[in-house]
Amino acid sequence: DARVTQTPRHKVTEMGQEVTMRCQPILGHNTVFWYRQTMMQGLELLAYFRNRAPLDDSGMPKDRFSAEMPDATLATLKIQPSEPRDSAVYFCASGLGLRSNNEQFFGPGTRLTVL
Amino acid sequence: SQKIEQNSEALNIQEGKTATLTCNYTNYSPAYLQWYRQDPGRGPVFLLLIRENEKEKRKERLKVTFDTTLKQSLFHITASQPADSATYLCALGLPLKSGGSYIPTFGRGTSLIVHP
């Protein structure tokens, strides 16, 4: 059955290194979200795309984070340079917007540890 | 300030009882409210949506109420089972800062533990 996939599932890196996380949304979905989840802050929205266009990235630290959708089957979230405070689980979600109760289908997440 | 509040303490109940979880919010006017379930190590899974003009929604053993005057939603699981143990997140449909779309903004969730 259709699922959102994310790679890698786990990433351990050192401070200052570049990290790229990838997401394949469900085929046919026109909205894509990136979230970060930590114990302290819960689920925070980082970026939102509709029809591959970025509509909101106000939750994202602009100096080090960037999100793109090079095509309809791939969304990327990049951190450069990474810092220990970026350690979190990063979720990608896709959906059909208002046509489907705004239901979001979440991927399994990428657990990032920055040492 | 704007807040979405869910009880940070875990809710422990006995199997067969009704579990009731609360989502309170301040200074928001959401167009809808959703409930998601999240299991350890997994992404959230959508359960139910209730719109601002609806009072109650049901799906199998789940019931959600939405009181826009009290700014509160209650999420009920009847005849609870140990398999219902998970973290439950509420999400408010709020407008983007740029306007137009309403997208979910999540609370931090409440852990439910159902004991056999």
Side-chain angles (χ1 to χ4, degrees), chain A residues 9 33 35 37 39-43 45 48 50 55-56 58 91 98 101-104 106-108, chain B residues 32 34 36 38 41-46 49 51 89 96-98 101-108:
Chain A
R9 293 294 312 278
F33 302 78
Y35 289 93
Q37 188 173 41
M39 290 291 291
M40 292 298 295
Q41 301 296 332
L43 259 178
L45 179 67
Y48 166 52
R50 187 170 66 205
L55 291 192
D56 189 90
S58 57
F91 287 104
L98 286 171
N101 287 333
N102 276 332
E103 176 179 355
Q104 295 186 30
F106 282 78
Chain B
Y32 58 81
Q34 297 172 317
Y36 286 76
Q38 186 173 22
R42 298 188 168 220
V45 174
F46 173 83
L49 175 143
R51 300 189 188 280
L89 305 165
L96 285 174
K97 287 174 187 168
S98 53
S101 303
Y102 284 76
I103 61 172
T105 299
F106 285 83
R108 291 172 60 178

